[in-house]
Amino acid sequence: MLQSAISCWLAIVFSVTAVFAAAPPISAVGSKFFTADGDQFYIKGIAYQLVPTDPLIDTEQCKRDAKQMQDLGANAIRVYHVDPIGDHKGCMDAFADVGIYLFVDLDDFPTQILPDSPSWNQSQLAAFSAIMDEFQQYDNTALFFVGNEVLTSAEVSNAAPYVKAAVRDMKAYRDSRNYRKIPIGYSAADVPGLRPMLQNYLACGDNDAERAEFYSLNVYEWCGDSTYAESGYSQLQKNATGYNVPIFVSETGCRISKPRLFTDQAAILGSEMADTWSGAIVYEWIQEENDYGLISYGPKVDPEVSTDALDGFPRSGTPTTVSPDYGNLKSQWATLSPSGVKLSAYSASASITPPACPTSTAGGWIVNGNAPLPSVGQTLDSAATASDTIPTPTGSASQASASATGGGTTAGGREVTGMCLGLLGVMLGFAVWL
């Protein structure tokens, strides 16, 4: 009895704490992101990959960077590679404390879907699932990418069914484990030959279990002091108008013309695009050989002398802003605070029809969007992806595979019943009233 009472009060404390959290959980509703408190969420993000393996295991470094990102005005980071067995609590808490969310890729170099020889197999599923298992526990995990720039031309568009199959199976795995419905989608290269077929393909179809829950583009078209029309952003907006799931820029920050002015942020987060697009992630945090950095951790050194330096660039320390790029981005974001729409007003009327699935075209997009997706471990030939039918899989269905990988039961001892549910409702109501 005493143990039950303690569990009850802990549930109340944790639930009320979540209401007032600096980073309340994010969900995808219709074509927009919303926080748990009902506000539309717009991304002001930074690509954050200090080291090749996992930048989220050095708590002290995360604390230093989180403080600096708060000064910049960022509310999100994108991390491309993580180690699922690492201890991430310190870093995730450091970013959550300043209202910064994690956008994390599920793939890694050994597990990514390749464009020329695509596959979606049990090993990839298990590796993706391990990362989801680790990061789903944090309220400030915003979403999961199943791939980054897998397709780089229309000639390799036959890899698209494998990307969509990964979305399907990771959604099935998430739901079988009773995890929070953290959105699952894809980060695409901005390839004119794939517009708008790829974004429509990933979000089309009658089966909601197969559709991506967001779509994003790595866009480097807006260089220097360009304009909405000159940059091609007007065409991106045209292609995205009426899209049925959230869409955002997952990389931006052209450096062909220096310094970087980041004037594209005013288009993305302003009147021209904010009703359709959910913000942008700027590439990147750390200064490297590619010269995209917003901060550095000190001058370039001899990598053979300093073990902390990769290619001569220190990977930890006190962040020092790179001028004038850092200040330019900070100034842009300081003037851009789109309010969007409240969830209560939007959800009552949100009913968006998925786009029509694209058909294969000679010399262009080569996938029939209505064809069945491959199951886990199944390999398709190009003729099959272009047709309406796919040979019957020889293995088990992907839904079963996803469920079998992790099971579908919730851990015991988490139920709050009877009087505890009543108290929980009262406390949550009080929190909302406040």
Side-chain angles (χ1 to χ4, degrees):
M1 181 68 180
L2 177 59
Q3 184 177 5
S4 297
I6 293 173
S7 299
C8 172
W9 282 109
L10 285 175
I12 292 171
V13 170
F14 291 142
S15 298
V16 174
T17 300
V19 173
F20 294 104
I26 287 174
S27 61
V29 179
S31 63
K32 305 181 187 302
F33 292 123
F34 290 93
T35 63
D37 53 16
D39 292 328
Q40 187 176 347
F41 181 76
Y42 286 94
I43 303 158
K44 296 179 179 178
I46 301 293
Y48 185 72
Q49 191 75 45
L50 308 185
V51 292
T53 52
D54 191 342
L56 299 178
I57 55 176
D58 185 342
T59 298
E60 293 308 310
Q61 186 59 51
C62 288
K63 288 179 178 178
R64 289 190 288 268
D65 290 335
K67 182 179 179 181
Q68 190 67 56
M69 289 182 192
Q70 185 181 31
D71 171 79
L72 177 63
N75 62 12
I77 55 172
R78 180 182 180 182
V79 177
Y80 300 82
H81 304 290
V82 291
D83 180 356
I85 65 173
D87 181 0
H88 301 101
K89 184 177 182 347
C91 280
M92 291 300 290
D93 286 350
F95 287 114
D97 287 345
V98 295
I100 292 177
Y101 292 86
L102 171 68
F103 292 50
V104 63
D105 290 60
L106 294 174
D107 64 340
D108 203 346
F109 296 116
T111 61
Q112 62 187 328
I113 300 171
L114 299 174
D116 296 319
S117 55
S119 65
W120 174 241
N121 56 45
Q122 194 65 43
S123 296
Q124 290 168 301
L125 174 60
F128 282 35
S129 299
I131 293 175
M132 180 179 286
D133 289 342
E134 168 61 12
F135 286 95
Q136 58 78 32
Q137 65 184 298
Y138 302 106
D139 283 348
N140 61 322
T141 297
L143 53 78
F144 296 116
F145 299 98
V146 299
N148 179 61
E149 298 191 350
V150 176
L151 283 71
T152 54
S153 69
E155 288 74 19
V156 295
S157 52
N158 62 329
Y162 298 89
V163 173
K164 195 168 183 177
V167 169
R168 172 200 63 199
D169 292 337
M170 293 315 301
K171 288 173 66 175
Y173 178 78
R174 175 197 66 193
D175 296 346
S176 75
R177 298 287 289 175
N178 292 317
Y179 291 156
R180 174 169 62 88
K181 287 190 179 295
I182 302 171
I184 298 170
Y186 176 68
S187 173
D190 181 26
V191 180
L194 293 172
R195 296 186 203 149
M197 289 78 72
L198 180 56
Q199 74 180 45
N200 289 347
Y201 174 71
L202 292 177
C204 78
D206 296 329
N207 188 353
D208 178 68
E210 296 182 345
R211 295 197 297 262
E213 294 169 315
F214 69 84
Y215 183 80
S216 62
L217 276 171
N218 296 342
V219 182
Y220 290 88
E221 293 184 4
W222 191 305
C223 300
D225 194 18
S226 189
T227 67
Y228 178 64
E230 290 175 359
S231 65
Y233 273 43
S234 58
Q235 187 61 43
L236 296 180
Q237 170 63 16
K238 180 180 178 181
N239 289 340
T241 300
Y243 199 50
N244 57 318
V245 296
I247 186 168
F248 63 94
V249 176
S250 43
E251 284 182 15
T252 186
C254 173
R255 67 170 190 84
I256 291 176
S257 178
K258 296 284 285 181
R260 294 192 292 174
L261 303 176
F262 302 106
T263 49
D264 67 327
Q265 298 299 294
I268 298 169
L269 296 167
S271 59
E272 290 162 317
M273 300 175 72
D275 190 50
T276 304
W277 294 73
S278 293
I281 297 173
V282 171
Y283 194 86
E284 67 174 323
W285 182 243
I286 186 174
Q287 181 73 313
E288 301 180 278
E289 194 67 48
N290 60 22
D291 196 27
Y292 279 93
L294 294 169
I295 65 93
S296 73
Y297 297 119
K300 191 174 181 179
V301 298
D302 184 347
E304 295 184 1
V305 174
S306 175
T307 58
D308 179 54
L310 181 65
D311 297 333
F313 291 88
R315 300 287 150 168
S316 62
T318 301
T320 301
T321 62
V322 172
S323 181
D325 289 20
Y326 180 97
N328 289 343
L329 180 57
K330 179 178 177 178
S331 296
Q332 285 289 330
W333 277 350
T335 65
L336 300 168
S337 300
S339 57
V341 62
K342 286 288 187 179
L343 176 60
S344 56
Y346 178 74
S347 59
S349 60
S351 179
I352 306 174
T353 303
C357 290
T359 57
S360 58
T361 305
W365 174 262
I366 58 177
V367 175
N368 189 315
N370 293 305
L373 299 177
S375 60
V376 175
Q378 184 184 17
T379 301
L380 308 177
D381 57 37
S382 57
T385 60
S387 70
D388 289 322
T389 59
I390 287 180
T392 302
T394 56
S396 59
S398 56
Q399 172 71 39
S401 298
S403 299
T405 303
T409 59
T410 305
R414 294 184 181 176
E415 295 88 349
V416 182
T417 58
M419 181 180 67
C420 186
L421 275 175
L423 288 171
L424 181 60
V426 170
M427 293 298 290
L428 288 174
F430 176 70
V432 171
W433 176 79
L434 285 177

